[in-house]
């Protein structure tokens, strides 16, 4: 903590008794002498003295709403003033007024004198007064305005309600020998109980709860306190008194330091609302304003940040998980250092060393390890695994955890910066920057420093890259310089930098802050900027740790900008390393796509795995398999990639360039992009055009557009497929048109047409088609199948070789229709003598059985003639057939004669068997 004098004024009235700030902090009201003085709080200029009192003004107070303030005087009067500095009301007590206080909620005014206190509010016509047994020296309302505490000369604290009734009486051990001189309620809203700070002239600072119980043992002072005042949030207390100085304490009474020494007693002090400004009033008439500057005491190691809070506590924060651990030191924390599992805290009289309870990276439990009971005046403090490094201007001392000095280094200039850069336990390396621009590396087990660089300007900030090959320096001119440690070469420099940090996971990335911007630089690419308050202290992966005022935050920065910078240079592996630090899914896709187009399949595969794109992973796997089989045409691989990406025209060009036009054609047709396919094929390649048309027709067929498919098949010369579709749908007109256009040599498609005509019962079209083909046999079969016997007979007359094909089925058809005689003739014409004989035999048998003897004689005659025909055709059966001829002639004559006998035989019917024997039909037997 450091106090900076803002302004100082001296009153002619000599003693300043009380101060009060306007709630907005713009004005300061001063009780001094016979007047109330109004000052500009910003610069200490007197705005206006207010006259109205006839004796010394002892106290002033401002209402919380800022509309009015009150002053109390030894003349026993209270004057109410407006914010426009006009007196509007005056009332009196029986004794001199000692203190006044406005209720923060109801704006009720409490005015206290030596023998009583009064409660007044604007809506009341009179003041309610209450007698007390001792002189009231100070008073104060609770934050909720429900209770009023009165501090008395006899050492008693009386707590009253808004009506003035006493609710709690705190009788303190010192009694009247410890008169209470100042009290104040803690304004913090975080406290569970109302806490009252009581300062007495028994040189004691005590703390009480509203119930009257003491909250802690209190603190013994070395002076008589005259005033006590809380900061707006209740975290600190300012006190002054007979020691002629104002001091800063924690809310628990731990002394933190001196604000300012004066030449007289500090009679009053106030903290400017919501600020770090403190105004003191002294008995010699001095009014002085200080600004308190609380320096940041902190330490950072990777994602663990340790910092001081409320001057006496240490908070260790895990910047990734946001976990926090609090270590209460109960003393002023002067320095903090953190490294790996070690934490060192410097207190006024000792250094306390802590360690983590476990090796778990997320563990936040620290335990005490060692204490070094020595008072150190040091500028910087560093902790290693087994040592403490204390920096005292030019001197570095290495101490063991027991406090023994092991090594010492004396530099040629003041040490401005020191950082542990890692290493084995007890052999860690330190990076040290000096005011004269020298940069050194020191190992804790080596007495000799190593000079790395010598700059012309003082070093402000340092960091070394993860591989220890590059050094980043920010000098006092706010210039960032990056060097190659081995060659000492300046790699690049950037202006407007106040701090720098290398990425702990990426060798070529660093960030620096300055002028309200965060700058990220990868390799030698241009800087990427974004607005940021504070300055960077660490860079781990995609998180940048920034300190703004007193708070540390982890800024999650997507590494998109540097990744795209690498992609522009086709540095895919480096871009992948950056992406691993943290980029969006769309950035991963861009990386994967760029790497794929750049034929870096390994990087592309890893990137696509990140976003789980199985489609592209299948493509990459297929390309890898092809490469294993010996394929090495990168243009062909790129064509496949373009096709997957939807860049079909580019893919087609690449396919064509590599001599794989068929792949381009397949791509277009698979995508049903037939117009593009036709354009690609052009008119110079009829074969490809036909293939294309066929595929288009296939698609039309599968899309249930049969007519379009048939037309496309015809255009492609695929007549058979077209005919099948047309035939299936029964489009006879379209089918005959095709048949008539086909050449007679195209027998298969013509046969298909005829088949469908037959199936569709268009026999005329079928006949026309067979005739065109010259397929007489098929034509004969068609006539036979359709029972067009005349056309069949006409054809047989011209082409006798088909008589068998016509007459046999004709005879069978006649027989099936009981036209046996015609059937027998047909068989005979067909040369099927045996069938003809069988038919005649059957006819003869039927005629005999039915007593048609005339018919039977005729049939036997025909049988005899048939036997002669067989003899003419087959000489081998001559003898057999001639015998049958004679027999059948005999039977024919016999039945012809028998017919006449039958006609004249009225009695019983008898007939001859087919062998010529007589049989009586009524059972009468005749000689045979």
């Amino acid at each position: 903590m450091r106090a900076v004098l803002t302004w100082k004024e001296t009153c002619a009235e000599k003693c300043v008794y009380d101060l009060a700030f306007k709630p907005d902090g713009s004005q300061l009201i001063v009780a001094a002498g016979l007047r109330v003085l109004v000052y500009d709080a910003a610069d200490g200029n007197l705005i206006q003295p207010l006259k109205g009192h006839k004796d010394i003004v002892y106290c002033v107070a401002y209402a919380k709403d800022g509309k009015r303030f009150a002053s109390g005087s030894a003349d026993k009067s209270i004057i109410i003033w407006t914010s426009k500095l006009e007196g509007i009301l005056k009332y009196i007590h029986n004794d001199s007024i000692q203190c006044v206080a406005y209720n923060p909620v109801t704006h009720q005014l409490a005015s206290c004198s030596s023998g009583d206190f009064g409660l007044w509010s604007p809506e009341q016509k009179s003041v309610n007064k209450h007698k007390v047994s001792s002189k009231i020296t100070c008073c104060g309302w609770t934050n909720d305005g429900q209770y009023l505490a009165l501090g008395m000369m006899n050492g008693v604290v009386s707590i009253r309600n808004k009506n003035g009734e006493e609710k709690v009486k705190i009788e303190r051990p010192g009694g009247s020998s410890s008169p209470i001189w100042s009290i104040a309620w803690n304004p913090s809203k975080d406290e569970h109980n109302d806490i009252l700070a009581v300062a007495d002239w028994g040189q004691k600072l005590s703390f009480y709860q509203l119930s009257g119980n003491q909250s802690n043992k209190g603190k013994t002072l070395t002076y008589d306190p005259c005033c006590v005042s809380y900061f707006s949030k209740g975290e600190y207390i300012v006190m002054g008194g007979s020691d002629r100085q104002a001091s800063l304490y924690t809310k628990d009474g731990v002394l933190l330091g001196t604000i300012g020494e004066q030449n007289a007693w500090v009679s009053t002090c106030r903290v400017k609302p919501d600020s770090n400004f403190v105004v003191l009033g002294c008995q010699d008439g001095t009014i002085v304003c200080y600004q308190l500057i609380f320096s940041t005491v902190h330490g950072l190691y990777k994602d663990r940040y340790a910092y001081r809070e409320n001057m006496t506590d240490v908070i260790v924060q895990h910047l990734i998980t946001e976990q926090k651990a609090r270590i209460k030191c109960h003393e002023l924390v002067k320095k903090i250092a953190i490294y790996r599992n070690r934490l060192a805290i410097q207190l006024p009289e000792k250094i306390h060393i802590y360690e983590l309870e476990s090796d778990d990276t997320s563990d936040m439990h620290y335990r005490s390890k060692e204490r070094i009971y020595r008072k150190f005046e040091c500028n910087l403090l560093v902790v290693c695994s087994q040592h403490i490094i204390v920096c005292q201007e030019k001197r570095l001392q290495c101490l063991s955890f027991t406090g023994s000095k092991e090594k010492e280094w004396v530099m040629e200039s003041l040490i401005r910066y020191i950082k542990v850069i890692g290493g084995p336990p007890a052999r860690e390396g330190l990076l040290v920057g000096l005011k004269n621009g020298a940069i050194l590396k020191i190992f804790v087990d080596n007495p000799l420093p190593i000079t790395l660089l010598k700059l012309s300007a003082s070093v402000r900030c340092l960091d070394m890259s993860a591989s220890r090959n590059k050094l980043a320096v920010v000098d006092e001119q706010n210039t960032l310089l990056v060097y190659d440690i081995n060659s000492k070469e300046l790699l690049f420099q950037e202006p407007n930098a106040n701090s720098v940090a290398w990425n702990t996971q990426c060798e070529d990335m660093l960030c620096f802050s300055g002028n309200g911007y965060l700058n990220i630089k990868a390799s030698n690419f241009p800087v990427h900027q974004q607005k940021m308050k504070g300055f960077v202290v660490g860079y781990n992966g995609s998180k940048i740790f920034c300190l703004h005022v007193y708070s540390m935050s982890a800024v999650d920065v997507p590494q998109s900008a540097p990744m795209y910078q690498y992609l522009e240079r086709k540095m895919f592996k480096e871009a992948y390393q950056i992406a691993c630090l943290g980029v969006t899914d769309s950035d991963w896709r861009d990386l994967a796509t760029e790497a794929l187009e750049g034929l870096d399949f390994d990087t592309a595969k890893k990137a696509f795995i990140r976003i789980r794109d199985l489609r592209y992973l299948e493509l990459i796997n297929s390309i890898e398999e092809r490469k294993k089989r010996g394929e090495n045409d990168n243009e062909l691989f790129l064509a496949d990639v373009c096709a997957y990406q939807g860049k079909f025209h580019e893919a087609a060009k690449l396919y064509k360039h590599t001599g794989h036009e068929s792949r381009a054609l397949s791509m277009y047709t698979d995508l049903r992009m037939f117009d593009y396919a036709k354009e690609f094929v052009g008119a110079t390649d009829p074969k490809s055009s036909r293939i294309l048309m066929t595929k288009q027709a296939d698609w039309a067929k599968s899309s249930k557009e049969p007519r379009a498919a048939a037309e496309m098949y015809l255009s492609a010369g695929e007549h058979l497929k077209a005919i099948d579709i047309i035939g299936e749908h029964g489009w006879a007109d379209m089918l005959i048109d095709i048949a008539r256009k086909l050449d007679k040599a195209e027998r298969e498609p013509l046969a298909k047409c005829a088949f469908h005509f037959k199936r569709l019962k268009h026999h005329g079209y079928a006949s026309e088609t067979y005739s065109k083909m010259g397929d007489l046999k098929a034509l004969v079969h068609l006539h036979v199948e359709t029972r067009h016997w005349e056309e069949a007979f006409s054809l047989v007359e011209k082409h006798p070789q088909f008589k068998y094909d016509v007459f046999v089925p004709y005879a069978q058809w006649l027989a099936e229709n009981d036209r046996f005689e015609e059937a027998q003739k047909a068989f005979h014409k067909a040369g099927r003598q045996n069938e003809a004989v069988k038919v005649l035999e059957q006819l003869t048998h039927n005629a005999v059985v039915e007593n048609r003897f005339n018919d039977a004689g005729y049939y036997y005659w025909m049988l005899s003639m048939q036997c002669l025909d067989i003899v003419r055709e087959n000489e081998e059966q001559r003898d057999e057939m001639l015998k049958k001829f004679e027999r059948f002639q005999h039977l024919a004559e016999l039945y012809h004669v028998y017919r006449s006998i039958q006609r004249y035989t009225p009695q019983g019917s008898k007939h001859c068997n087919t062998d010529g024997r007589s049989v009586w039909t009524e059972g009468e037997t005749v000689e045979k």
Side-chain angles (χ1 to χ4, degrees):
M1 184 273 297
R2 181 166 55 92
V4 178
L5 179 64
T6 304
W7 54 264
K8 184 176 182 180
E9 292 291 328
T10 302
C11 303
E13 284 77 6
K14 295 297 183 184
C15 184
V16 176
Y17 288 99
D18 200 5
L19 301 169
F21 274 101
K22 190 175 181 179
D24 63 4
S26 62
Q27 294 179 359
L28 177 67
I29 312 300
V30 180
L34 302 178
R35 295 183 296 175
V36 176
L37 306 176
V38 182
Y39 285 88
D40 188 325
D43 55 17
N45 290 329
L46 179 63
I47 296 175
Q48 185 179 337
L50 302 177
K51 296 180 181 180
H53 291 288
K54 298 176 181 179
D55 205 340
I56 297 171
V57 181
Y58 284 139
C59 52
V60 288
Y62 224 116
K64 195 77 172 179
D65 61 3
K67 293 180 179 180
R68 59 180 65 88
F69 62 92
S71 60
S73 168
D75 66 1
K76 305 177 185 180
S77 68
I78 302 291
I79 298 179
I80 309 298
W81 309 83
T82 68
S83 59
K84 296 180 180 179
L85 310 183
E86 299 171 346
I88 58 171
L89 180 70
K90 185 175 184 178
Y91 68 88
I92 61 173
H93 282 258
N94 295 324
D95 295 297
S96 63
I97 308 301
Q98 301 298 312
C99 57
V100 289
Y102 270 103
N103 188 306
V105 178
T106 65
H107 310 304
Q108 187 179 29
L109 177 66
S111 52
C112 307
S113 70
S114 300
D116 64 3
F117 71 93
L119 298 173
W120 172 85
S121 59
E123 57 272 7
Q124 290 178 332
K125 293 183 179 179
S126 61
V127 180
N128 298 321
K129 296 178 181 177
H130 304 269
K131 291 285 186 180
V132 291
S133 59
S134 179
K135 180 180 180 179
I136 301 173
T137 57
C138 50
C139 63
W141 290 94
T142 56
N143 297 327
D144 59 6
Q146 296 297 313
Y147 298 95
L148 173 70
L150 306 174
M152 301 185 182
M153 189 65 82
N154 62 0
V156 172
V157 177
S158 177
I159 298 178
R160 309 289 179 117
N161 63 17
K162 290 189 293 184
N163 298 321
E165 300 167 349
E166 186 174 72
K167 293 298 181 182
V168 178
K169 184 176 182 181
I170 303 172
E171 297 182 351
R172 305 172 69 253
S176 57
S177 62
S178 300
I180 296 170
W181 214 253
S182 186
I183 62 174
W185 291 98
N186 189 331
S188 172
K189 296 179 181 179
D190 297 330
E191 295 288 343
H192 298 295
N193 300 304
D194 289 302
I195 302 297
L196 180 68
V198 179
D200 64 55
W201 276 17
Q203 298 190 345
K204 197 87 180 266
L205 174 63
S206 306
F207 298 92
Y208 294 92
Q209 296 177 2
L210 183 61
S211 62
N213 297 323
Q214 193 167 355
S215 62
N216 60 40
K217 294 181 179 180
K219 302 295 178 181
T220 301
L221 308 174
T222 58
Y223 58 92
D224 293 329
C226 295
C227 53
V228 59
S229 180
Y230 274 98
F231 270 62
S232 297
K233 295 181 179 178
E235 66 270 43
Y236 302 116
I237 295 174
V238 178
M239 282 204 304
S242 63
D243 60 348
R244 302 187 176 189
Q245 65 182 22
S247 300
L248 185 70
Y249 296 81
T250 68
K251 63 181 181 180
D252 297 322
V254 177
L255 178 63
L256 299 176
T258 300
I259 294 174
E261 296 182 356
Q262 310 301 320
N263 296 321
W265 282 30
V266 177
S267 55
T268 181
C269 62
R270 287 289 183 269
V271 179
K272 186 177 178 179
D274 301 316
S275 73
N276 291 339
F277 290 90
V278 177
V279 178
L280 311 178
C282 303
Q283 287 187 347
D284 63 357
T286 301
I287 305 173
V288 60
C289 178
Y290 292 97
Q291 181 184 11
L292 302 189
I293 298 174
F294 296 93
S295 58
T296 304
V297 177
H298 63 117
L300 176 72
Y301 177 74
K302 291 189 176 178
D303 48 18
R304 286 178 186 263
Y305 176 58
Y307 61 96
R308 180 177 69 183
E309 186 175 78
N310 297 335
M311 306 298 282
T312 59
D313 293 351
V314 174
I315 307 294
V316 182
Q317 177 183 358
H318 196 293
L319 296 172
I320 306 300
T321 65
E322 296 296 331
Q323 291 177 288
K324 291 184 178 181
R326 180 184 293 272
I327 299 174
K328 291 181 174 289
C329 300
H330 305 291
E331 293 183 75
L332 175 63
V333 175
K334 301 182 74 175
K335 294 285 185 296
I336 299 173
I338 187 169
Y339 177 71
R340 292 184 179 169
N341 64 337
R342 298 284 192 260
L343 173 67
I345 302 173
Q346 182 190 2
L347 303 174
E349 303 293 333
K350 63 186 176 185
I351 294 178
H352 200 157
I353 300 158
Y354 295 84
E355 68 177 359
L356 284 171
E357 292 184 356
S358 71
D359 295 330
D360 185 359
T361 55
S362 62
D363 184 23
M364 295 297 290
H365 298 89
Y366 285 87
R367 63 189 175 197
S368 177
K369 180 173 177 61
E370 297 287 349
R371 290 183 176 89
I372 302 175
Y373 289 96
R374 279 176 57 188
K375 184 176 182 179
F376 293 94
E377 292 297 331
C378 65
N379 309 106
L380 301 167
L381 179 70
V382 171
V383 64
C384 299
S385 58
Q386 297 178 17
H387 297 90
I388 289 288
I389 310 297
V390 178
C391 172
Q392 299 166 325
E393 295 186 343
K394 298 181 181 181
R395 187 187 306 273
L396 278 180
Q397 288 184 341
C398 179
L399 308 176
S400 68
F401 285 166
T402 59
S404 60
K405 184 170 72 174
E406 294 189 358
K407 285 183 181 60
E408 183 175 276
W409 302 271
V410 179
M411 307 298 158
E412 58 188 17
S413 178
L414 291 175
I415 299 170
R416 293 288 302 275
Y417 192 88
I418 184 171
K419 182 177 184 177
V420 186
I421 56 174
R427 296 171 59 193
E428 288 89 356
L430 306 175
L431 196 60
V432 180
L434 305 183
K435 187 175 182 180
N436 67 356
I439 301 170
L440 304 95
K441 184 158 64 172
I442 298 174
F443 293 97
V444 295
D445 62 337
N446 191 334
L448 301 176
I450 302 169
T451 302
L452 298 177
L453 288 170
K454 184 67 182 293
L455 307 182
S456 58
S458 176
V459 174
R460 182 173 178 177
C461 182
L462 285 172
D463 200 14
M464 191 176 283
S465 66
S467 66
R468 307 290 185 263
N469 291 324
K470 296 177 184 177
L471 181 67
V473 185
V474 176
D475 62 21
E476 63 180 3
Q477 297 173 357
N478 292 337
T479 301
L480 168 65
L481 306 162
V482 177
Y483 291 89
D484 185 298
I485 293 178
N486 299 318
S487 66
K488 315 300 182 188
E489 175 190 358
L490 176 63
L491 300 177
F492 60 86
Q493 66 182 48
E494 297 286 344
N496 304 320
N498 57 24
S499 64
V500 64
W502 284 99
N503 195 312
T504 56
Q505 297 182 24
C506 183
E507 169 70 14
D508 291 330
M509 287 193 69
L510 60 77
C511 66
F512 63 94
S513 55
N515 285 355
Y517 284 93
L518 170 66
N519 305 271
I520 302 172
K521 187 171 179 66
S523 187
N524 57 351
F525 298 121
V527 170
H528 171 71
Q529 284 189 334
Q530 66 182 62
K531 287 187 176 181
M532 184 199 74
K533 294 180 179 179
F535 56 92
V536 298
V537 293
Y539 191 6
N540 184 12
S542 64
K543 294 190 180 293
I544 295 177
F545 305 127
C546 305
L547 182 65
H548 178 51
V549 189
Y550 309 117
S551 65
M552 177 73 76
S553 60
V555 180
D556 204 341
V557 182
Q559 305 300 311
S560 305
M563 185 199 79
Y564 284 110
Q565 288 175 329
Y566 280 113
L567 284 182
E568 287 175 5
R569 302 276 185 92
K570 306 297 182 184
M571 301 169 69
F572 302 117
K573 288 182 170 54
E574 292 80 358
Y576 176 78
Q577 291 177 351
I578 299 298
C580 288
L581 302 180
V583 294
T584 64
D585 282 351
S586 62
D587 293 332
W588 273 113
R589 183 169 294 282
D590 289 343
L591 169 60
T593 303
E594 290 283 344
L596 189 60
E597 291 176 357
L599 304 179
D600 186 343
F601 298 115
D602 183 54
T603 302
K605 185 175 184 178
K606 290 188 286 188
F608 279 123
I609 287 172
R610 286 273 188 163
I611 56 177
R612 301 180 181 180
D613 194 323
L614 299 180
R615 193 168 66 95
Y616 276 102
L617 288 173
E618 288 176 0
L619 170 64
I620 294 171
N621 286 335
S622 69
I623 291 174
E624 288 176 342
E625 290 296 325
R626 287 158 58 188
K627 290 179 77 173
K628 288 178 183 177
R629 294 195 297 266
E631 287 190 40
N632 55 6
D633 191 338
N634 286 335
E635 273 196 312
L636 182 57
F637 296 149
L638 185 57
D640 291 340
V641 170
C642 290
Y644 261 72
Q645 292 176 336
K647 301 175 182 178
F648 305 121
H649 300 312
E650 294 178 32
K653 290 177 183 177
L654 289 168
Y655 281 132
K656 189 171 184 179
H657 190 261
T658 56
H660 291 81
E661 290 88 348
S662 59
R663 290 199 179 191
L665 194 59
S666 297
M667 173 187 72
Y668 279 132
T669 54
D670 289 345
L671 295 167
R672 309 297 185 251
M673 301 171 70
F674 298 108
D675 292 337
Y676 290 124
K678 291 174 184 176
E679 183 181 333
F680 175 78
V681 171
T684 57
D685 189 355
K687 180 180 179 182
S688 297
S689 298
R690 285 196 300 273
I691 295 172
L692 172 62
M693 191 60 69
T694 301
K695 291 191 175 183
Q696 188 173 2
D698 290 340
W699 170 74
K701 181 180 178 182
S702 64
S703 302
K704 296 183 180 180
E705 296 181 12
R707 186 174 291 275
E711 290 171 353
M712 292 175 192
Y713 279 131
L714 289 174
S715 300
E718 294 282 350
H719 295 112
L720 290 174
K721 292 183 178 180
I723 290 166
D724 279 337
I725 293 174
I726 294 168
E728 287 172 8
H729 290 83
W731 300 326
D733 293 342
M734 195 173 178
L735 194 63
I736 190 59
D737 188 53
I738 294 171
R740 288 168 179 169
K741 288 179 181 179
L742 286 172
D743 188 88
K744 63 181 180 180
E746 297 180 86
R747 299 184 64 81
E748 188 175 0
L750 285 170
K752 277 272 188 184
C753 289
F755 168 77
H756 286 296
F757 285 136
K758 286 166 61 178
R759 187 177 60 80
L760 298 171
K761 298 183 179 178
H762 286 283
H763 305 121
Y765 290 159
S767 175
E768 180 182 340
T769 304
Y770 283 132
S771 298
K772 182 174 182 177
M773 293 170 58
D775 190 345
L776 298 177
K777 186 173 183 179
L779 185 58
V780 167
H781 288 163
L782 173 66
H783 291 323
V784 169
E785 288 175 11
T786 57
R787 306 294 190 260
H788 293 168
W789 302 114
E790 295 301 326
E791 290 88 340
F793 297 153
S794 175
L795 197 60
V796 169
E797 286 179 8
K798 297 176 183 178
H799 305 281
Q801 67 268 28
F802 298 115
K803 66 178 182 179
Y804 173 80
D805 296 297
V806 174
F807 287 112
V808 170
Y810 177 59
Q812 292 172 342
W813 174 75
L814 290 172
E816 289 170 1
N817 289 279
D818 296 333
R819 294 166 63 182
F820 297 108
E821 292 182 14
E822 294 176 65
Q824 187 272 335
K825 292 177 181 178
F827 278 127
H828 182 68
K829 287 183 180 180
R832 298 284 292 272
Q833 305 299 339
N834 291 331
E835 283 82 350
V837 170
K838 287 181 180 178
V839 171
L840 280 173
E841 287 179 344
Q842 185 65 45
L843 289 171
T844 304
H845 175 74
N846 293 343
V848 171
V849 171
E850 294 171 3
N851 296 329
R852 293 183 288 109
F853 302 120
N854 193 37
D855 292 339
Y858 173 70
Y859 291 146
Y860 275 123
W861 176 80
M862 287 184 68
L863 278 173
S864 65
M865 292 299 104
Q866 196 79 42
C867 290
L868 291 179
D869 289 338
I870 292 173
V871 171
R872 294 190 192 98
E873 292 177 2
N874 192 345
E875 190 67 29
E876 293 178 0
Q877 296 182 350
R878 178 182 179 84
D879 295 338
E880 181 184 353
M881 289 299 106
L882 288 174
K883 288 180 181 179
K884 285 188 175 184
F885 168 76
E886 291 176 359
R887 181 170 171 269
F888 290 149
Q889 278 287 327
H890 172 71
L891 289 172
E893 294 172 355
L894 181 63
Y895 275 101
H896 180 70
V897 173
Y898 193 74
R899 167 61 182 156
S900 300
I901 296 172
Q902 182 198 31
R903 288 170 62 190
Y904 300 104
T905 307
Q907 301 150 353
S909 297
K910 70 174 179 178
H911 62 81
C912 292
N913 286 335
T914 52
D915 57 0
R917 292 174 294 175
S918 298
V919 178
W920 288 99
T921 57
E922 295 177 346
E924 203 180 310
T925 304
V926 180
E927 273 193 44
K928 299 180 181 180

